[in-house]
Amino acid sequence: MILLTAQNISKTYMERKVLDDVSFFLNEGDKVGIIGINGTGKSTLLRILAGAEESDSGEIIRTNGIRISYLPQIPEFEEHGTVLEQVMLHLPDDLKEAKEFEAKSILGKLGISDYSRDISSLSGGERRRAGIAAALIQPSDILLLDEPTNHIDNETVQLLEEQLTKYRGAIVMVTHDRYFLNSITKKIVEVDRGKIYECEGNYAEYLEQKAQREADAEAKERRNRTIYRRELAWIRRGPRARGTKSKDRIERFHELENREIPVEAEKLQLQSISSRLGRKTIELENITKSMNGKCLISDFSCTLMRDARIGIVGHNGAGKSTLLRMITGEIRPDSGSVTLGDTVIIGYFSQECESMDPSQRVIEYIRDTADIIHTPDGTVTASQMLERFLFTPELQWSRIEKLSGGERKRLYLLKILMTAPNILLLDEPTNDLDIATLTILEDYLSNFSGAVIAVSHDRYFLDKMSNEIWELCGDGNINRYNGNYSDYSEKKKSDAEASSDNSEKPAEKKKRTYTGKTRLKFSFKEQREYETIDDEIAALEENIAQTEKEIINSSSDYVKLQELSDKKEKLEAELAEKMDRWVYLNDLAERIANGEMV
């Protein structure tokens, strides 16, 4: 049953058309993930579906009686009131008493046990969790979630996954958390340049289908280029006869010449920019820090390796951001010392994006840091770097006030990287950044020559970038684990199982399957065929041309004319078959020359 229909929706913001005549259908039980580059209209689409915003044109049709629960990026609460009251604020009065136990249960699972606290006293992460609870307890057939995993810790993300897996209604969510998308969604909707593209399956299946579509398009274009080169040579030679088939061939040539070339998907290109880092990096010596009477870090020491890749995890309020701020010198430890080497240049991406002058132009904001930078590939201007970050020349001269929240984060990230740091401190870099930016950031970090310390709840990001995990326990202790987030998670799980079982079981070794790859190459038969097929095609073309002449000279002999027509038809079928084979062999030769593996 169709629960909701969006028909021909269009929306323009400050002269930017974010949605252009798009349609969307939501069926009972659908689990949909909306993805796309920041500023393309993901949150706008969600708000329009929720009825929180009107489209410029088109209509939203909701089946009678359908109930919608909506979690915006910034949960909306009254200025004061207890947490429990605010979570149940929008419940019908006759349901509040019945839902109180469920609300307390969900809040408890999300780490908020004091329901009588004033809502104004909650941190950003706690407000986010209260907002999730408010959305989950609403009786609903459709759950709309805008970045539900932002500003919450890893354990809360996993609890939310469990809740959504059990949810029986339809779900539409905007999120950049790729493991979360894989776990929950059954359909991916990509918003790109005002249009939407649907793909059945979770995020991993979407990637496979997208890669296959791009590979198919690339193979088709290679084939077209190969045919075009041959047909161009034929056109330049001039056909030997101007029969019907020759005219058809000329028309096909012009169709090839005027074909639409597939547009390559826009991708962020981040050059690895860093300054030289000396032997001495950062030394933390017996640092201790308490906040609001709670000890967050106690007597912690560490010397940062020059190529360190450290992921920091822990509950909200455990001191993760505090640790980064102590390293930058923004705050001082209660005891102990933080010593920086003489060559250290820190690039600090803070969780709270720095304040930007809304009237300043995008390019002016970047030029305040650097107009020209030097990369391993040469000199790059601020404008060129902005283009690599998907800020078009038009957008570069736009005022910052016209940017979406995610676009501002992307701009802020570029400014930090343009300072050429040799140590990067990233505090929740995955919040508000789209998947495309995150993917390229991960590639950038893998080639970055300095050290990286990142606080993140994004398990996929931590798996890609880290080779050591620091777990802040919130009681002053910091546990260190070798490996990425999955290794850390497995170790935690095995430790928990070992502690609950007196007889320690030997860990089973995982079986690994290795698939060897070899270079693509011709078989012996294909090699011989590739070497002779041009001559065979030329002979067939010559034979057809000769047959056409004989047809013209035998116009009065109907018996011979029929024989020659049959012969020509057979030769043309043979030529078409040879041409198909020629295209295949030339395509294969091009792939072999490019060093493709199988």
Side-chain angles (χ1 to χ4, degrees):
M1 181 178 83
I2 294 178
L3 302 180
L4 180 148
T5 302
Q7 287 186 340
N8 309 113
I9 300 298
S10 293
K11 185 70 178 181
T12 300
Y13 277 124
M14 295 185 180
E15 301 173 3
R16 291 175 66 187
K17 199 156 196 175
V18 291
L19 298 173
D20 184 10
D21 195 35
V22 303
S23 296
F24 174 78
F25 305 92
L26 186 66
N27 291 301
E28 197 172 6
D30 276 353
K31 303 290 186 290
V32 181
I34 300 179
I35 64 172
I37 293 170
N38 290 134
T40 54
K42 304 185 299 294
S43 295
T44 300
L45 177 59
L46 206 66
R47 287 195 298 270
I48 290 171
L49 296 179
E53 187 171 332
E54 293 293 325
S55 60
D56 297 336
S57 61
E59 62 176 334
I60 302 293
I61 303 168
R62 301 176 182 87
T63 302
N64 287 338
I66 289 299
R67 300 163 300 179
I68 296 177
S69 182
Y70 170 53
L71 173 68
Q73 280 195 40
I74 302 173
E76 297 172 356
F77 297 118
E78 292 182 350
E79 192 174 344
H80 292 287
T82 68
V83 172
L84 186 61
E85 288 170 349
Q86 294 300 303
V87 164
M88 299 198 299
L89 187 64
H90 300 293
L91 279 175
D93 290 338
D94 59 337
L95 281 178
K96 285 186 177 179
E97 186 176 345
K99 285 280 185 178
E100 184 174 331
F101 176 77
E102 184 183 348
K104 289 179 177 178
S105 174
I106 293 174
L107 282 168
K109 288 177 181 177
L110 294 175
I112 301 177
S113 54
D114 186 356
Y115 323 121
S116 61
R117 284 176 63 187
D118 194 277
I119 197 75
S120 63
S121 69
L122 299 187
S123 66
E126 288 171 326
R127 286 179 71 88
R128 190 71 181 162
R129 282 178 274 167
I132 291 169
L136 290 176
I137 67 162
Q138 284 285 338
S140 61
D141 305 289
I142 301 173
L143 193 55
L144 304 178
L145 306 171
D146 195 355
E147 298 288 7
T149 62
N150 272 6
H151 308 290
I152 58 176
D153 55 49
N154 303 76
E155 289 190 12
T156 308
V157 171
Q158 290 171 2
L159 285 168
L160 180 58
E161 268 186 29
E162 293 171 11
Q163 292 291 321
L164 295 182
T165 302
K166 293 185 285 187
Y167 181 74
R168 294 185 178 182
I171 298 173
V172 183
M173 62 180 174
V174 173
T175 183
H176 59 259
D177 189 317
R178 288 152 288 184
Y179 282 156
F180 198 71
L181 280 170
N182 269 348
S183 176
I184 306 297
T185 60
K186 297 176 182 176
K187 181 190 290 186
I188 298 294
V189 172
E190 183 178 10
V191 184
D192 183 25
R193 301 174 221 189
K195 302 297 182 182
I196 63 173
Y197 305 91
E198 296 187 21
C199 173
E200 294 296 330
N202 62 14
Y203 182 70
E205 291 165 320
Y206 154 79
L207 285 180
E208 289 174 8
Q209 293 177 44
K210 185 175 183 180
Q212 187 60 53
R213 284 199 307 271
E214 290 174 352
D216 291 345
E218 185 182 343
K220 184 179 178 181
E221 178 54 24
R222 274 203 314 268
R223 180 178 183 274
N224 284 336
R225 284 198 307 267
T226 304
I227 296 173
Y228 177 75
R229 285 196 299 267
R230 179 172 184 84
E231 295 301 283
L232 179 62
W234 178 80
I235 284 286
R236 285 171 176 170
R237 280 202 315 268
R240 295 183 176 85
R242 291 291 180 184
T244 305
K245 290 294 180 183
S246 295
K247 290 177 182 177
D248 289 344
R249 189 169 177 181
I250 291 169
E251 287 176 7
R252 285 198 298 272
F253 168 76
H254 289 306
E255 285 175 9
L256 272 173
E257 192 172 40
N258 299 319
R259 73 190 184 277
E260 187 176 338
I261 306 296
V263 178
E264 188 177 347
E266 290 180 308
K267 294 178 182 176
L268 294 179
Q269 303 171 24
L270 301 185
Q271 301 291 341
S272 183
I273 311 161
S274 62
S275 304
R276 188 187 71 82
L277 181 61
R279 288 189 177 183
K280 188 174 181 181
T281 58
I282 296 175
E283 293 180 0
L284 309 178
E285 189 173 356
N286 306 115
I287 60 170
T288 296
K289 186 66 180 179
S290 296
M291 302 275 285
N292 301 320
K294 180 182 178 183
C295 182
L296 301 177
I297 298 163
S298 175
D299 197 32
F300 179 66
S301 297
C302 172
T303 299
L304 193 67
M305 302 293 288
R306 292 171 64 184
D307 59 350
R309 293 292 185 273
I310 297 166
I312 298 181
V313 301
H315 296 296
N316 288 129
K320 303 185 295 295
S321 297
T322 301
L323 177 57
L324 292 192
R325 290 167 66 198
M326 277 196 288
I327 295 173
T328 64
E330 188 178 322
I331 59 176
R332 296 178 63 83
D334 298 335
S335 61
S337 63
V338 178
T339 308
L340 273 59
D342 294 335
T343 60
V344 167
I345 300 174
I346 291 177
Y348 175 43
F349 183 93
S350 68
Q351 194 172 152
E352 298 81 20
C353 184
E354 70 176 16
S355 60
M356 299 177 177
D357 179 357
S359 65
Q360 189 176 26
R361 299 189 187 279
V362 170
I363 195 163
E364 292 168 351
Y365 174 79
I366 292 300
R367 282 177 175 167
D368 284 348
T369 301
D371 195 17
I372 295 175
I373 57 169
H374 300 281
T375 76
D377 295 334
T379 301
V380 182
T381 67
S383 179
Q384 288 171 325
M385 282 300 288
L386 280 164
E387 281 200 63
R388 292 174 180 180
F389 268 63
L390 302 184
F391 290 101
T392 62
E394 295 169 316
L395 200 53
Q396 290 177 28
W397 290 98
S398 295
R399 300 190 187 281
I400 289 174
E401 63 187 358
K402 292 187 177 182
L403 302 183
S404 69
E407 286 173 318
R408 293 188 191 195
K409 279 274 189 177
R410 194 194 308 155
L411 185 64
Y412 174 47
L413 175 62
L414 172 58
K415 182 175 182 178
I416 290 162
L417 296 180
M418 287 188 70
T419 63
N422 46 35
I423 293 181
L424 277 171
L425 305 181
L426 307 174
D427 193 358
E428 295 290 6
T430 62
N431 283 349
D432 303 314
L433 288 182
D434 54 71
I435 291 173
T437 310
L438 289 175
T439 301
I440 305 303
L441 176 59
E442 288 156 2
D443 291 339
Y444 174 87
L445 295 180
S446 69
N447 296 314
F448 182 68
S449 58
V452 182
I453 303 177
V455 172
S456 181
H457 65 266
D458 189 317
R459 297 157 292 172
Y460 193 100
F461 177 77
L462 290 173
D463 272 349
K464 290 282 283 185
M465 65 75 54
S466 62
N467 54 28
E468 184 178 355
I469 298 292
W470 292 359
E471 179 190 37
L472 273 66
C473 302
D475 58 1
N477 290 318
I478 298 179
N479 297 327
R480 298 172 65 174
Y481 298 83
N482 289 324
N484 61 15
Y485 183 83
S486 291
D487 298 324
Y488 153 77
S489 185
E490 282 295 317
K491 183 69 168 64
K492 290 277 288 182
K493 185 178 177 182
S494 63
D495 286 349
E497 287 173 353
S499 64
S500 63
D501 190 352
N502 293 330
S503 59
E504 196 172 307
K505 298 178 182 178
E508 291 183 13
K509 291 186 178 179
K510 291 184 179 178
K511 293 182 181 179
R512 295 186 179 183
T513 304
Y514 297 93
T515 306
K517 289 192 174 184
T518 58
R519 283 190 178 278
L520 187 65
K521 64 179 181 178
F522 279 126
S523 67
F524 177 77
K525 183 181 176 183
E526 286 172 336
Q527 182 67 48
R528 291 292 302 275
E529 190 180 3
Y530 177 64
E531 291 168 356
T532 60
I533 196 166
D534 279 321
D535 293 337
E536 291 172 6
I537 288 173
L540 282 168
E541 287 178 334
E542 183 65 36
N543 209 341
I544 290 170
Q546 183 61 39
T547 305
E548 286 176 342
K549 284 181 184 177
E550 290 179 22
I551 288 172
I552 293 169
N553 296 330
S554 306
S555 57
S556 59
D557 187 340
Y558 294 108
V559 175
K560 190 172 182 182
L561 190 63
Q562 184 62 51
E563 288 175 357
L564 290 169
S565 295
D566 290 345
K567 179 183 176 182
K568 182 188 173 190
E569 191 175 328
K570 184 179 178 182
L571 287 169
E572 285 174 341
E574 219 175 309
L575 178 62
E577 190 176 329
K578 283 287 181 191
M579 284 297 295
D580 283 343
R581 189 65 181 164
W582 181 88
V583 168
Y584 165 75
L585 290 169
N586 275 269
D587 180 52
L588 183 57
E590 190 173 329
R591 291 165 62 198
I592 291 169
N594 291 333
E596 282 194 27
M597 309 287 285
V598 291

